[in-house]
Amino acid sequence: MKRERSAHFFSNAILITIIGVHPFIFSASGQIRGGNINNSEKNKSTTIEKTTLEEEPENSGVRKNGPYTLSDCYNLARARNIGLKQAQNAINTNQIDRKTAQYNLLPSLSYDLGHFISFGKNIDPVTNTFVNQRFSGGSTALSLQLQLFSGFNKINTIKQSAYLIRSAEYARKSAELEVLTNITLTYARLLLGKEELSVQRNNIQSTTKELEVVKEKINVGRLSKYEFYTFNARLNTEQADLVSIQNDSLSALQDLRQLLNFPYSEKFEIAPIDTTTLSKIITANISPEKYLEDILISHPAMKQAEMDVQAAHLGEKIAKSSFYPSLSVGGNLVSNYNIGEQDTNGGKIPLKTQLNDNLGQNIYISLSIPIFSQMQNANKVKKEKINISNAELAMQDAKNTIATNTLQIINDFNGAKQKFTAILSAWEENKLSYNLYKEKYRLGQISSVELLAARDILNTSTSKYLQAKLQLFFQYQLLELLKAF
């Protein structure tokens, strides 16, 4: 049987169409930054409920009995998908960076302790005089330092980290949109494969029955072996096609397992969809202008680009802070000792006594004014200006790409509606035509070749109908999925 696969619909091109742009291409620095449909068959919905796009509880990935609906797959992906977990890790990393920047506002406190053994001429740490003898001593210090002003470097770093967190969050939303879109397309591939397997098995069953009739007619001399060879060749061809469809379905199933990070040792089966409401989908009117306006406002890739622009502007302010003087204050508690230190009576002075007697305190204020830094500071500012330009260009490119691809998917949906109506009419007429050919064949008015040619036409029409039906249904799902983000 000649089969036409819907590769143009279930291809990666649709993935780019629905997402608009790759979720990790926008960065203020030009670098990569990350960053219910009811289970009851009678209550299935042809639209993606809002609840399926919200965060699910932690046990959403728990193994369930029975087949998985599209909504179940979405929930599993949110709980298990490796890419989404990595995107969440990027958010967590940025949150740690923000806390680090906030803690930098606090003073630093350190304690130092050192011990040494001196040979030959050296300075006694207690008397501060040169001695030419072997001795052992050391020092201890407690230091406190607070930077009062650094050109607002720390404040701007905290602000920038907040934008980077939001950018990473939108990057995760983009990654989630990408994963759910992939799941939707793979789910559609699996359903198409299941329906084609059913059609192909029916064809094999029908051909087998016809072959038995032909054998009986040959035995009584009403037909020649020519008819047997024709039907037997067709049976072998259909069995080979069945193997191809099964392999395609297994490939799609493995792709879906990978997207869900689903154990290969566990049984996985998808639930059929209810396409009885296709009549409602066909009547759905989508205004391209209003739809596009909403998408440009809410699309996570646009939001991520906006955050990256803001982060880039703060990057410039951070670079400019290098031109400002820095002001710090601090204090120290220091002391030292000599293990061999003796008092006037020749007795060793205890270590505790030495530390108390030699204790010193000081406070200080430090002002550092940059005068010339081999143009490093100036070049940092220039590079940040370039990063701002790149971020703004990336945002404009994201807007153009999303607009183009959103209008394309709307056009695809409108085309799918018209295509489904035409193919449905043709399919119904081809079924009537094939039934007439079967009757003529039984009456001996046509040959087996003509009957098989009529079946080929019906099979091709059936394949196109299955593709058109699923294409219309899932194109609508993709539109609803995109709008939900």
Side-chain angles (χ1 to χ4, degrees):
M1 180 186 72
K2 181 180 179 181
R3 299 183 294 109
E4 295 185 7
R5 305 293 289 175
S6 56
H8 64 284
F9 172 58
F10 304 121
S11 65
N12 288 333
I14 295 297
L15 175 61
I16 301 300
T17 299
I18 181 68
I19 295 175
V21 287
H22 193 280
F24 299 107
I25 64 172
F26 300 111
S27 171
S29 62
Q31 298 177 345
I32 294 177
R33 281 182 182 152
N36 284 324
I37 301 176
N38 292 330
N39 294 333
S40 172
E41 294 294 325
K42 62 181 180 181
N43 292 326
K44 289 178 185 174
S45 171
T46 58
T47 60
I48 297 179
E49 307 259 354
K50 183 178 180 180
T51 54
T52 66
L53 299 174
E54 296 173 350
E55 290 298 329
E56 298 295 327
E58 293 182 359
N59 63 350
S60 60
V62 175
R63 181 178 179 181
K64 58 166 282 186
N65 295 324
Y68 287 82
T69 64
L70 186 59
S71 176
D72 293 331
C73 292
Y74 287 166
N75 296 338
L76 275 174
R78 291 189 181 96
R80 296 183 175 186
N81 182 265
I82 294 177
L84 295 186
K85 290 182 179 180
Q86 291 174 330
Q88 183 60 48
N89 286 339
I91 296 175
N92 296 339
T93 299
N94 285 324
Q95 290 174 340
I96 294 174
D97 291 341
R98 177 172 171 78
K99 290 182 179 179
T100 301
Q102 292 172 332
Y103 289 143
N104 280 339
L105 295 175
L106 300 177
S108 62
L109 180 66
S110 62
Y111 177 75
D112 300 307
L113 176 65
H115 186 85
F116 62 89
I117 298 176
S118 176
F119 301 91
K121 189 176 183 180
N122 211 329
I123 297 177
D124 189 311
V126 177
T127 62
N128 285 325
T129 59
F130 280 101
V131 294
N132 191 2
Q133 63 184 24
R134 176 178 176 179
F135 65 91
S136 175
S139 63
T140 181
L142 181 66
S143 302
L144 178 69
Q145 183 178 8
L146 174 63
Q147 191 171 47
L148 298 179
F149 181 75
S150 59
F152 305 106
N153 180 292
K154 295 182 178 181
I155 298 298
N156 288 326
T157 300
I158 293 174
K159 292 180 179 179
Q160 185 188 51
S161 65
Y163 284 112
L164 293 179
I165 290 175
R166 295 178 66 185
S167 175
E169 290 172 344
Y170 285 122
R172 188 192 182 283
K173 293 287 287 184
S174 292
E176 183 179 345
L177 178 58
E178 177 182 358
V179 170
L180 298 190
T181 301
N182 263 322
I183 289 173
T184 303
L185 299 177
T186 308
Y187 200 96
R189 285 173 54 200
L190 275 173
L191 286 181
L192 178 62
K194 291 181 69 173
E195 298 223 28
E196 289 192 337
L197 281 172
S198 177
V199 171
Q200 192 67 2
R201 289 191 179 103
N202 289 336
N203 288 335
I204 292 176
Q205 185 178 6
S206 177
T207 303
T208 302
K209 290 180 179 179
E210 293 289 350
L211 191 59
E212 294 298 326
V213 173
V214 169
K215 288 181 179 178
E216 293 178 2
K217 291 182 178 181
I218 292 176
N219 291 335
V220 298
R222 293 179 57 188
L223 290 176
S224 65
K225 286 190 176 181
Y226 165 77
E227 301 287 343
F228 171 81
Y229 295 145
T230 302
F231 277 99
N232 195 52
R234 171 50 55 91
L235 179 61
N236 291 331
T237 301
E238 289 174 344
Q239 289 173 339
D241 289 339
L242 179 66
V243 174
S244 297
I245 298 174
Q246 288 174 331
N247 288 338
D248 292 342
S249 297
L250 286 175
S251 177
L253 179 61
Q254 299 311 319
D255 290 342
L256 187 56
R257 282 180 178 270
Q258 182 176 356
L259 287 169
L260 303 179
N261 193 24
F262 197 90
Y264 290 93
S265 59
E266 295 183 18
K267 181 180 179 181
F268 185 83
E269 183 180 353
I270 64 172
I273 58 173
D274 180 14
T275 56
T276 58
T277 55
L278 284 176
S279 57
K280 295 182 180 180
I281 295 178
I282 291 177
T283 59
N285 292 321
I286 296 178
S287 172
E289 294 77 11
K290 181 63 170 63
Y291 190 90
L292 178 59
E293 181 182 353
D294 294 338
I295 294 303
L296 288 176
I297 293 175
S298 62
H299 200 289
M302 279 297 301
K303 294 292 186 180
Q304 181 187 356
E306 292 170 3
M307 296 301 103
D308 287 340
V309 170
Q310 295 297 329
H313 282 289
L314 285 168
E316 181 187 14
K317 292 182 179 181
I318 293 172
K320 287 181 177 180
S321 66
S322 301
F323 292 108
Y324 289 86
S326 61
L327 180 64
S328 302
V329 295
N332 296 292
L333 291 176
V334 296
S335 185
N336 51 38
Y337 61 90
N338 185 341
I339 298 297
E341 191 71 15
Q342 298 178 348
D343 56 19
T344 55
N345 298 322
K348 286 189 176 183
I349 302 176
L351 179 62
K352 180 179 180 180
T353 302
Q354 292 189 59
L355 291 175
N356 290 330
D357 294 341
N358 299 334
L359 181 63
Q361 308 92 20
N362 66 78
I363 59 173
Y364 66 88
I365 182 170
S366 173
L367 178 66
S368 176
I369 302 176
I371 299 177
F372 181 68
S373 60
Q374 297 85 38
M375 300 303 294
Q376 292 183 11
N377 294 336
N379 288 333
K380 285 181 181 179
V381 174
K382 291 179 181 179
K383 290 174 65 176
E384 291 300 329
K385 289 182 180 294
I386 294 175
N387 288 337
I388 292 175
S389 177
N390 286 336
E392 290 174 344
L393 290 173
M395 183 171 65
Q396 184 61 44
D397 183 59
K399 182 178 181 179
N400 295 339
T401 304
I402 293 172
T404 299
N405 293 333
T406 300
L407 293 175
Q408 181 62 51
I409 196 172
I410 294 175
N411 293 336
D412 290 343
F413 172 69
N414 291 331
K417 291 195 297 182
Q418 299 174 7
K419 181 180 178 181
F420 174 76
T421 301
I423 289 179
L424 175 60
S425 177
W427 178 60
E428 291 173 344
E429 292 174 355
N430 282 326
K431 286 194 296 182
L432 295 174
S433 176
Y434 177 67
N435 289 333
L436 293 176
Y437 270 92
K438 285 174 62 178
E439 187 63 26
K440 287 183 178 182
Y441 177 75
R442 289 190 179 93
L443 297 176
Q445 296 177 0
I446 61 173
S447 66
S448 58
V449 175
E450 292 175 296
L451 177 63
L452 292 177
R455 183 191 291 180
D456 284 342
I457 295 175
L458 177 59
N459 288 339
T460 300
S461 181
T462 301
S463 179
K464 288 182 178 181
Y465 166 72
L466 294 176
Q467 294 173 21
K469 178 180 68 173
L470 292 175
Q471 181 177 1
L472 175 60
F473 182 84
F474 283 100
Q475 282 283 5
Y476 186 73
Q477 300 299 333
L478 292 177
L479 283 172
E480 291 295 299
L481 181 64
L482 179 58
K483 185 171 64 175
F485 276 81

